């Protein structure tokens, strides 16, 4: 199983063997992998070497450790294409998952200066500000903070927003969504968000900022989302 004469370091060979076992379903999602001691016997290597392989798989998210219980196979990350202007609801449904949201804040306010500028608003114009936890199959995936100009959507309320925002825009208001500009960066989770996303305070999230426009060029939302980096990866096809 392990080739001690290979130029490939032994811990990497073990890492590959474990990955293969996960891929082949020998160790299923949520199941514990064998202990360090068992694996070191099986591969006939030191426990240190096994630990190194496991640590690498923990840091890339394939495995997770639970104190005193062992090391388990993680649920694979959701692969989110970056090439379409889709909504959270559409994205989760496309995967056969059930989307749901929890609105933890909904209010009308004077927007911060930078938000007003990005939404091309006149001075004194107001926005709806809402904070939603986005769940897939009842598990938190992201927390979204959304600013929506009141003038574009008169009479919005939290009840109307309990479902899909994009559906509301298109079906209730009869508007056409055009395009969006999106930025993505990594960050440590904010203390408040860790609570809602059920993350350790030291966890990392993917921050996505999206400004979306109607087909006539008018901005209709500015959203700052924090996605669980252990649940999500973003994919795009690039061409030359
Ligand atoms: C996505 C969008 C967000 C949009 C929401 C609408 C990203 C990073 N963000 O979460 O900008 O407001 O979808 O979803 O993709 P909804 O129609 O399900 O409310």
């Amino acid at each position: 199983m392990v080739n001690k004469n290979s130029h490939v370091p032994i811990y990497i060979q073990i890492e590959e063997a474990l990955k293969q076992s996960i891929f082949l379903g020998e160790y299923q999602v949520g199941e514990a992998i064998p202990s360090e001691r068992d694996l070191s016997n099986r591969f006939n290597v030191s426990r240190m070497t096994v630990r190194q392989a496991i640590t690498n798989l923990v840091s890339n998210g394939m495995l997770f450790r639970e104190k005193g219980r062992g090391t388990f196979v993680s649920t694979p990350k959701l692969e989110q294409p970056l090439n379409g202007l889709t909504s959270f609801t559409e994205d989760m449904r496309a995967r056969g998952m059930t989307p749901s949201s929890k609105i933890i804040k909904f209010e009308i306010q004077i927007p911060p200066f930078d938000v007003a500028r990005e939404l091309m608003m006149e001075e004194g114009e107001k926005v709806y500000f809402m904070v939603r936890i986005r769940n897939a199959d009842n598990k938190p995936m992201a927390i979204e903070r959304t600013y929506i100009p009141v003038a574009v959507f008169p009479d919005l309320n939290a009840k109307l927003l309990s479902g899909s925002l994009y559906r509301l825009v298109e079906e209730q208001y009869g508007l056409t969504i055009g395009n969006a500009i999106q930025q993505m960066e990594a960050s440590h989770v904010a203390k408040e968000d860790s609570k809602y996303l059920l993350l350790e305070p030291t966890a990392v999230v993917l921050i996505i900022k999206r400004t979306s426009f109607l087909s006539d060029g008018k901005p209709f939302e500015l959203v700052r989302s924090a996605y669980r980096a252990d649940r999500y990866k973003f994919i795009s096809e690039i061409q030359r």
Side-chain angles (χ1 to χ4, degrees):
M1 290 260 249
V2 165
N3 177 358
K4 292 191 174 164
N5 298 320
S6 163
H7 64 277
V8 179
I10 295 172
Y11 73 91
I12 295 208
Q13 294 183 43
I14 294 176
E15 197 180 318
E16 290 304 312
L18 292 173
K19 269 191 204 162
Q20 202 173 355
S21 298
I22 295 170
F23 181 74
L24 296 173
E26 191 187 328
Y27 310 136
Q28 303 259 335
V29 169
E31 253 179 38
I33 61 162
S35 65
E36 278 177 20
R37 182 198 306 248
D38 286 350
L39 289 171
S40 69
N41 289 338
R42 183 182 301 185
F43 291 110
N44 195 20
V45 297
S46 74
R47 278 179 71 163
M48 273 284 284
T49 307
V50 167
R51 192 168 307 150
Q52 172 77 65
I54 293 177
T55 300
N56 287 356
L57 293 171
V58 168
S59 24
N60 76 17
M62 282 188 92
L63 299 175
F64 64 97
R65 288 193 174 105
E66 277 200 9
K67 261 212 178 104
R69 290 191 58 223
T71 305
F72 300 83
V73 180
S74 314
T75 309
K77 289 186 189 184
L78 244 135
E79 296 188 357
Q80 176 62 45
L82 273 178
N83 35 8
L85 178 43
T86 51
S87 74
F88 183 83
T89 304
E90 291 163 343
D91 293 341
M92 295 308 115
R93 291 222 171 108
R95 295 192 167 80
M97 300 175 99
T98 305
S100 61
S101 303
K102 185 164 182 226
I103 301 185
I104 53 175
K105 187 178 228 168
F106 178 83
E107 63 186 27
I108 294 181
Q109 56 168 243
I110 298 278
F113 168 77
D114 53 328
V115 171
R117 205 190 44 197
E118 292 214 38
L119 289 173
M120 299 180 197
M121 294 171 64
E122 305 288 336
E123 215 187 311
E125 261 191 76
K126 292 190 171 160
V127 286
Y128 302 103
F129 172 61
M130 76 171 162
V131 183
R132 291 190 291 178
I133 314 292
R134 313 300 314 256
N135 303 308
D137 290 343
N138 287 322
K139 290 203 185 112
M141 291 285 170
I143 179 164
E144 292 186 337
R145 294 179 170 82
T146 310
Y147 295 91
I148 305 168
V150 172
V152 186
F153 303 99
D155 307 323
L156 258 192
N157 57 52
K159 192 159 172 259
L160 281 172
L161 284 164
S162 58
S164 162
L165 169 65
Y166 283 10
R167 197 169 158 192
L168 192 75
V169 171
E170 292 174 327
E171 293 183 10
Q172 204 99 347
Y173 287 86
L175 299 168
T176 309
I177 297 176
N179 62 309
I181 293 180
Q182 202 162 272
Q183 310 174 9
M184 194 186 304
E185 59 188 321
S187 170
H188 283 288
V189 68
K191 200 168 169 210
E192 186 195 350
D193 294 358
S194 66
K195 192 176 68 189
Y196 293 117
L197 295 174
L198 309 179
L199 286 171
E200 297 291 327
T202 53
V204 167
V205 285
L206 294 159
I207 303 287
I208 303 180
K209 194 175 132 198
R210 181 188 282 190
T211 310
S212 312
F213 303 85
L214 297 171
S215 54
D216 64 3
K218 199 171 182 40
F220 75 93
E221 66 163 2
L222 190 151
V223 190
R224 192 170 185 273
S225 323
Y227 279 80
R228 283 185 58 145
D230 60 338
R231 295 249 164 100
Y232 255 86
K233 62 177 161 191
F234 292 86
I235 310 248
S236 57
E237 188 192 314
I238 40 182
Q239 249 155 27
R240 188 165 157 89

